[in-house]
Amino acid sequence: MNRKYRKTVIAGNWKMNMTASEIKPFIEQLKENMPKTRACDVVLCTPAVMIPAMIKAGKEVKVAAGGQDVSKYEKGAYTGEVSATQLADIGTKYCIVGHSERRQYHHEDDMLVNAKARALLEKGIAPIICVGESLEQREAGVTMEYVAYQVKAALNGIDATQLRRCIIAYEPIWAIGTGKTATAEQAQEVCEGIRAVIRKIYGARPARAVSILYGGSMNAKNAAELLAQPDIDGGLIGGASLKPVDFATIIAASNQ
Ligand code: 13P
């Protein structure tokens, strides 16, 4: 983390878990375990139908609500999709795009991820843009080339002013839901590389100001070490964000 230049963000990705009625008790437990003061923004990304409940319950503890996906289209005949306008209208502040699960199960490519990020920015929602390599790519030694490409493609056409709202999440696919975390060194190396890519496109100042998160089996035990790395500005947390005590511990770890 480097609080002098950028925000620390602890974001939970609930994926397709929990229900709207479980939010209030979750937030109450989170509140009981949360540190008195905190130096990070906290976000919980839920399925779209649960966002209003999260906004309502999260207000008191300053937990913002985020979505997990958005349509690239503004409106129209796209059954089942949710637009950035609709997310913004209910008060959504953040939204994940390009999660590896969407890339894998819904065949989302880098151009689509870019279009979704731009759709969100148009409506004032901060995109949390996910990138990350597969195990095969890591073993083949092409991690940085691949992630650099994903970052460049996702940011295509996004200007420096819009970049200020963007958050990048580095999530190595092999670390997601596997209990196999990247080492702090591995995570730092790629996050530093991502910042270098952004520096090349936008220059030193904008690159210094972008928050880059790590995601992939981050938990109450390993969060402090990961967050101590200079280019890791927070976490995108799956499993551990479903447990209020663990999530509160991760929030506390960002106070270091
Ligand atoms: P886990 O923390 O469960 O590995 O999930 C990470 C993730 O995919 C967050 O988006």
Side-chain angles (χ1 to χ4, degrees), residues 122-144:
E122 286 285 314
K123 303 298 168 195
I125 299 171
I128 302 174
I129 301 167
C130 300
V131 296
E133 82 287 1
S134 65
L135 186 59
E136 293 71 28
Q137 288 165 327
R138 176 155 286 269
E139 284 172 353
V142 298
T143 295
M144 206 53 240

Side-chain angles (χ1 to χ4, degrees), residues 11-15 45 96 99-101 128 130 169 171-181 214-219 235-242 250:
N13 174 8
W14 277 6
K15 309 193 179 182
C45 298
I96 296 169
H99 193 279
S100 62
E101 285 150 20
I128 302 174
C130 300
E171 300 207 306
I173 298 168
W174 48 271
I176 296 176
T178 56
K180 219 169 140 188
T181 323
Y214 168 79
S217 301
M218 191 189 263
N219 58 39
L236 183 56
I237 300 119
S241 76
L242 296 166
I250 298 172

Side-chain angles (χ1 to χ4, degrees), residues 1 17 23 29 33 47 55 59 71 74 90 112-113 122 126 157 160 166 168 180 188 191 215-216 221 229 235 238 251:
M1 295 181 291
N17 294 297
I23 290 178
Q29 274 202 60
N33 293 281
I55 292 174
K59 243 180 212 147
S71 172
E74 215 181 317
I90 56 169
L112 181 57
V113 174
E122 286 285 314
C166 295
I168 311 289
K180 219 169 140 188
Q188 162 60 23
C191 290
K221 286 208 179 82
Q229 301 303 309
I251 294 168

Side-chain angles (χ1 to χ4, degrees), residues 26 48-49 98 150 200 216 221:
F26 178 96
V49 288
Q150 286 184 308
K200 254 194 184 160
K221 286 208 179 82

